[in-house]
Amino acid sequence: MNAPSHPSAPTPGPIAVCMHGFAPVAADGTRLHDASAETWDDVFAQVERLGFTAIEIADSHIRPSELTASRRAELKSVATSHGIELVSVHVQRQSVIQPGKGEENLAYAHRAIDAAAELGMRVFSTGLHQPFSEAQRAALWFWTAPGPVDPDDADTRALAVRRLRELGEHAASVGLPMSLEMYEDTYLGTADSAVRLIEEIGLDNVGLNPDIGNLVRLHRPIEDWREMHEKTLPYANYWHMKNYARDEAADGSWQTSTPTSMELGLINYRAMVARALELGFRGPFLMEQYGGDSLGVCARNRDYLTSLLPATAGA
């Protein structure tokens, strides 16, 4: 199968912001998912003040499919009042092959697709990453501790393909692209495996989220970031963008990383964005940042990315 076809829009965009800068649970124990409209209004007001016009709804914070219809309408109304588009829903750590929960997670993903369509989103985003291990929950940076690993098993991989194809077909039926996020120790954990998975699924609306930052940050040997992008960008239809300062010993005895801005990290986004546009990327971008003032760094990254795009892109 060839790489998924890209939309015919002349420029990519919009540039959205992640929800990492907002607490998923308030000090009083109230989940953002269950928060009042006033609390949601404050979230979108902050996003607006930073100059963003789009946001990704991460289900770590709000699960649109698990809201009532009236609450979904309220979510969209509050966002729209601040000029903010709900560009995508990102279903994370709900792998369709998670032991003991795969079928439950599959059903949830189907509901998430319907909610995304109802809210007029542009992308349904998910992956194969699973909930954090105890070691990851205890670590300063979760990527420095071992987490779940997809088995090297043909039957399990085939199950992943079947279930993801089922979700892709559902997404296509409601007019949505589906994007699969690259993530370590999953079938989307290397460039070759991720591309092969997309080809095995075999649907034009299913592509990759080439979040190479997820791999650059690992405290272990990694593939060359240039080669990973070259292999995956032809299949990209949505892009989580973040960067890390990385250092490693020449003999491979140690590796370390820390979050930084898109401009300062290991990945040369000027070169990679130019290559993506050359290959026909036309999807939305998502600014993502762990640690510090996530929202502030995302805003700086947005300005940097805007400088790399055609003048009419990112709207």
Side-chain angles (χ1 to χ4, degrees):
M1 177 189 169
N2 294 325
S5 59
H6 294 282
S8 58
T11 55
I15 302 173
V17 66
C18 71
M19 298 191 76
H20 295 334
F22 302 102
V25 181
D28 65 1
T30 303
R31 296 187 306 161
L32 187 59
H33 177 88
D34 300 316
S36 66
E38 289 75 19
T39 298
W40 287 353
D41 185 78
D42 180 63
V43 167
F44 292 116
Q46 291 186 58
V47 171
E48 180 185 23
R49 284 198 296 273
L50 284 168
F52 281 101
T53 60
I55 191 170
E56 174 188 87
I57 300 298
D59 71 348
S60 55
H61 290 65
I62 298 174
R63 294 188 170 193
S65 64
E66 313 307 289
L67 297 170
T68 63
S70 62
R71 283 285 275 167
R72 280 195 296 274
E74 187 172 44
L75 178 68
K76 183 166 185 176
S77 176
V78 173
T80 301
S81 72
H82 290 283
I84 307 300
E85 176 186 357
L86 307 180
V87 75
S88 62
V89 62
H90 182 53
V91 171
Q92 57 188 358
R93 307 197 182 281
Q94 307 286 329
S95 171
V96 295
I97 55 170
Q98 181 181 339
K101 288 199 68 179
E103 291 186 1
E104 178 183 337
N105 290 344
L106 177 64
Y108 165 61
H110 277 296
R111 296 195 301 275
I113 290 169
D114 285 333
E118 179 184 324
L119 289 165
M121 293 180 174
R122 301 193 192 205
V123 179
F124 170 66
S125 175
T126 191
L128 290 172
H129 37 323
Q130 298 184 34
F132 290 131
S133 65
E134 290 294 336
Q136 287 177 311
R137 282 193 285 270
L140 172 63
W141 301 115
F142 62 83
W143 55 84
T144 64
V149 179
D150 284 350
D152 183 14
D153 174 74
D155 288 341
T156 305
R157 185 179 178 105
L159 178 63
V161 170
R162 288 197 303 273
R163 288 180 171 173
L164 291 172
R165 184 185 297 129
E166 178 182 322
L167 292 177
E169 289 171 344
H170 182 181
S173 74
V174 294
L176 283 173
M178 183 169 96
S179 192
L180 300 178
E181 181 182 18
M182 295 185 68
Y183 199 88
E184 76 269 13
D185 298 326
T186 73
Y187 300 138
L188 293 154
T190 68
D192 287 339
S193 181
V195 167
R196 182 160 65 91
L197 190 71
I198 297 301
E199 293 179 339
E200 288 168 336
I201 293 168
L203 298 175
D204 286 343
N205 71 309
V206 177
L208 283 176
N209 170 359
D211 191 349
I212 306 300
N214 285 341
L215 306 176
V216 162
R217 69 190 177 192
L218 297 176
H219 289 201
R220 65 173 91 159
I222 60 170
E223 300 174 81
D224 184 274
W225 59 268
R226 303 167 193 82
E227 295 176 5
M228 285 192 281
H229 280 96
E230 188 64 24
K231 291 176 179 179
T232 60
L233 284 176
Y235 296 82
N237 60 358
Y238 186 44
W239 200 349
H240 283 187
M241 308 180 92
K242 56 182 178 286
N243 216 344
Y244 294 83
R246 179 180 173 90
D247 197 8
E248 57 186 46
D251 64 4
S253 60
W254 58 265
Q255 302 84 23
T256 189
S257 67
T258 190
T260 189
S261 69
M262 281 176 59
E263 191 172 10
L264 295 178
L266 178 68
I267 298 169
N268 179 354
Y269 275 106
R270 183 177 297 275
M272 294 304 96
V273 169
R275 182 59 175 146
L277 297 180
E278 179 184 2
L279 290 167
F281 179 79
R282 297 295 181 266
F285 301 98
L286 188 279
M287 303 293 95
E288 192 176 20
Q289 173 73 14
Y290 287 95
D293 177 5
S294 174
L295 290 170
V297 175
C298 285
R300 288 180 178 271
N301 285 345
R302 185 234 12 249
D303 294 345
Y304 167 68
L305 175 59
T306 300
S307 75
L308 307 181
L309 297 173
T312 55

